Every structure is written in C-alpha cells, then in structure tokens.
Amino acid sequence: MLYCIIGNDGADTLQKRIEARPAHLERLKQLQADGRLVLAGPFPAIDAEDPGETGFTGSLIVAQFDSLEEAQEWAATDPYVSAGVYERISVKPFRKVLPE
C-alpha cells in the first residue's frame, strides 16, 4: 500500500537540512531503485522554486510499504529526524486515484 509521509521542519533548521540532505536523498534513491517511490520533495517556505535563506517548512514523500508500521519506522529513521530538521512527522495510508 502507498503511504504519505509528511515531515514538518522545526524553526531555523535550514543549515541542518543542508547538512543532512545527502543522507536523506540516498534513502529516497534506494526507495526509487526498489520501485517503491512515487514522489518526494520539500515545501518551500515562500512561493518560489528556490526559497533561498527562507528555507523550507517540511517535506512530502509518497512511497509503497508493506504496512503502516513499516512506513512509520522508515520515517522515524530518516536522517532529517536524527539531524533535528523534522519537528514532527505524520504517516498516513494513501490511495492514488489519478493519474491512472
């Protein structure tokens, strides 16, 4: 089943995000290589492709996992969590309808 993982950044975490980004992307690339990643990306803090110093407010990941528990465990071990970027994480089952 698909799961939607939403990580919400804490205040003033841009530098932590930059430092942890390579490890974070490696985990996402592994999901992609396994054919489990639907999409992933950050939420810019302002209406701009590159928000510069204003940074990001969080991230969205949609990926396939065998269970909610597995998705929650995967999310909890993200490098952005251990680096203190994410203040809170939400994991929810997701049903893709479109595009087919």
Side-chain angles (χ1 to χ4, degrees):
M1 175 153 200
L2 293 176
Y3 293 89
C4 179
I5 300 168
I6 300 172
N8 295 286
D9 288 17
D12 301 317
T13 58
L14 181 58
Q15 189 57 42
K16 291 178 183 179
R17 179 181 268 272
I18 291 168
E19 292 168 7
R21 187 170 189 263
H24 171 76
L25 290 179
E26 280 305 310
R27 293 183 82 226
L28 292 171
K29 288 177 184 177
Q30 185 58 55
L31 280 180
Q32 183 178 23
D34 294 344
R36 298 168 47 196
L37 183 65
V38 175
L39 63 87
F43 299 118
I46 60 172
D47 188 13
E49 189 75 22
D50 179 0
E53 292 182 14
T54 60
F56 301 90
T57 61
S59 304
L60 170 66
I61 299 165
V62 178
Q64 184 174 353
F65 293 93
D66 291 334
S67 67
L68 177 60
E69 293 77 21
E70 182 185 341
Q72 289 170 330
E73 288 174 16
W74 187 92
T77 58
D78 191 280
Y80 282 175
V81 173
S82 56
V85 175
Y86 290 157
E87 179 176 74
R88 168 174 89 256
I89 298 176
S90 172
V91 181
K92 298 179 181 185
F94 179 77
R95 194 181 107 200
K96 181 181 173 198
V97 175
L98 293 172
E100 293 181 23

